[in-house]
């Protein structure tokens, strides 16, 4: 009941007129930016992060709550109408959603995505409110070896889940951990990798890193592969569903929520796996399996609900442990740090009004999103008509303004160009961006916990595995590394992988998943 009582107090914070206005603006901006082709929720938050610097922390994060869900809904709109997912978790939505749109049922696909997102987001946020105090009570009892083990789990899970190659994932993580060490060593006071440049002594600003890797890197990548042919956009009116659509959608919404939230609530690498699992489940349980691959509404309702439930679940480790497991959560962690706030077990105690106001505003933003987007689907679709050169030139312009506004430093603009070029070459050579950004943001905290654990054990490596919890976590890590190759080898010996939801994806779909799974 502690979570429910605190949530009620959070609604008292979130329901003030000024905070409602910021929630509405967040939803509006998040949807407007997120619906643009090739832009996922992580890139949306990174671009809009500098806009909140003049706000109080509570107001800023209430606005972020709207941007968070607005960006996710905008990504599903692009997937359905344009077959261009902004993140890997939206790939499955594109499989059936775009086929529905081409058959003249785009309005139903948008409606089931919006309503499914609302139901899953609401249930997931309620789960967050109930689960967060419990996790905090457990986290308070964790020591440095336990925290370090959980952070290693987050690194390995994200690295092994995202992208087609574990080697490339580890390489990306290594780049992130290396960049995260730039600045003054907090223990010895020595400068590391600053090359005598005074501006690097405090490290690289999170805003510059996030905007550079996501916005600038992606804009350069898209510009290098700009298609001259006009985009094939399916036109729709207001999002509506028939009684038959409702009958076929409500069970996938609930099943998707049940699948997505647990995956998001543990450091397991984001929403890609649960969305494919949801798609496979709906295909198996559907009374119309022959429609899958031709535009089945269950194939939109289930994965979209899973994606949003996983996003809500992902806030559990972020707020209670300070551990992000997706690109969006990593940018959110960077936003907290830019305000001098470190998520973790003490956050709910030290910043209770902010945290519970944020959670309450997730409910409010979710409701505003549904009321705003069902009748305005046709208007959002018109944003897809913006010419690509103008769109990405605008992204580079606003990214530069945001990076400069972070510290009013021209040096940050040079850093933005360098980091943007790094993001471009990572995409060029197939390195996923998410492990890098998580390594950059979470690396210093992992280093701190590692040093603390070794100091307690007088430098003995056994001090890293001297608790039952850390031993269990390392066993899970070992399973993550060992089990997938064994399963793959067994499948190959049986003569192929068998039916897989990934094989049903339309040609080129994965190539467009630009943010969370290159």
């Amino acid at each position: 009941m502690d979570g429910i009582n605190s949530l009620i107090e959070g609604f008292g914070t979130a329901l003030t007129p000024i905070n409602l206005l910021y929630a509405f603006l967040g939803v509006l901006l998040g949807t407007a930016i997120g619906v643009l082709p090739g832009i996922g929720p992580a890139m949306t938050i990174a671009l809009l992060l500098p806009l909140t610097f003049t706000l109080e922390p509570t107001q800023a994060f209430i606005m972020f709550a709207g941007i968070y869900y607005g960006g996710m809904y905008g990504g599903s709109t692009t997937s359905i109408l344009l077959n261009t997912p902004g993140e890997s978790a939206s790939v499955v939505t594109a499989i059936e959603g775009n086929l529905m749109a081409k058959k003249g049922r785009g309005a139903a696909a948008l409606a089931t995505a919006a309503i499914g997102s609302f139901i899953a987001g609401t249930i997931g946020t309620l789960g967050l409110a109930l689960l967060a105090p419990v996790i905090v009570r457990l986290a308070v009892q964790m020591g440095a070896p336990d925290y370090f083990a959980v952070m290693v789990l987050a690194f390995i899970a994200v690295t092994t889940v995202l992208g087609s190659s574990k080697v490339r994932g580890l390489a990306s993580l290594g780049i992130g951990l290396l960049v995260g060490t730039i600045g003054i060593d907090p223990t010895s006071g020595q400068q590391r990798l600053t090359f005598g440049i005074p501006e690097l002594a405090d490290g690289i600003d999170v805003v510059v890193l996030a905007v550079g890797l996501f916005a600038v890197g992606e804009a350069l990548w898209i510009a290098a592969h700009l298609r001259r042919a006009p985009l094939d956009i399916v036109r729709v009116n207001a999002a509506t569903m028939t009684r038959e659509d409702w009958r076929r959608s409500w069970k996938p919404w609930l099943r998707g929520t049940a699948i997505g939230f647990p995956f998001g609530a543990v450091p397991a690498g984001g929403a890609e796996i649960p969305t494919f699992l949801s798609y496979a489940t709906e295909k198996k349980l559907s009374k119309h399996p022959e429609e899958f691959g031709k535009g089945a509404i269950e194939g939109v309702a289930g994965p979209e609900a899973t994606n949003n439930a996983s996003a809500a679940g992902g806030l559990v480790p972020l707020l209670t442990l300070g551990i992000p497991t997706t690109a969006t959560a990593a940018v959110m962690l960077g936003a907290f740090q830019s305000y001098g706030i470190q998520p973790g077990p003490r956050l709910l105690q030290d910043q209770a009004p902010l945290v519970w106001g944020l959670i309450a505003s997730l409910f409010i933003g979710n409701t505003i999103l549904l009321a705003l987007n069902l009748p305005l689907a046709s208007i959002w679709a018109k944003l897809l008509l913006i010419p690509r050169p103008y769109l990405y030139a605008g992204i580079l312009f606003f990214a530069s303004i945001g990076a400069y506004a972070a510290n009013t430093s021209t040096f940050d603009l040079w850093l933005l160009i360098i980091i943007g070029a790094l993001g471009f070459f990572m995409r060029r050579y197939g390195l996923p961006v998410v492990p890098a950004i998580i390594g950059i943001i979470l690396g210093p905290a992992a280093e701190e916990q590692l040093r603390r654990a070794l100091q307690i054990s007088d430098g003995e490596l056994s001090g890293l595995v001297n608790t039952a919890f850390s031993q269990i976590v390392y066993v899970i890590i070992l399973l993550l590394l060992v089990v997938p190759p064994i399963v793959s080898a067994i499948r190959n010996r049986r003569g192929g992988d068998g039916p897989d939801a990934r094989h049903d994806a339309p040609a080129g779909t994965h190539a467009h998943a630009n943010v969370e799974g290159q």
Side-chain angles (χ1 to χ4, degrees), residues 83 128 165 235 247 283 293 343 372 379 388 395 412 470 490 495 498-499 502 515:
N83 197 20
L128 166 65
S165 168
R235 301 183 184 277
R247 188 186 64 79
K283 188 174 182 179
L372 193 67
I379 295 177
R388 290 289 184 98
I395 288 174
D412 283 347
S470 63
I490 292 173
R502 291 171 188 262
V515 174

Side-chain angles (χ1 to χ4, degrees), residues 310-333:
S310 179
L315 293 176
V316 175
L318 175 65
L319 296 177
T320 60
L321 301 174
I323 296 176
T325 56
T326 65
T328 310
V331 178
M332 288 284 283
L333 177 60

Side-chain angles (χ1 to χ4, degrees), residues 3 50 69 146 182 231 234 257 282 322 329 338 355 362 373 416 451:
Y69 278 136
D146 302 322
I182 295 175
L231 297 173
V234 182
T257 303
E282 296 309 324
S338 69
V355 174
L362 289 172
N373 287 326
L416 183 73
R451 284 184 166 182

Side-chain angles (χ1 to χ4, degrees), residues 105 240-250 253 297:
R105 289 178 42 76
T240 55
M241 293 173 65
T242 64
R243 180 173 296 183
E244 175 68 9
D245 292 333
W246 280 91
R247 188 186 64 79
R248 293 177 58 177
S249 295
W250 72 271
W253 290 334
I297 194 168

Side-chain angles (χ1 to χ4, degrees), residues 177-183 190-197 200:
L177 292 173
L178 184 67
V179 174
T181 62
I182 295 175
Q190 297 293 317
Q191 293 191 10
R192 301 185 297 191
L193 302 177
T194 59
F195 305 104
I197 302 173
L200 291 178

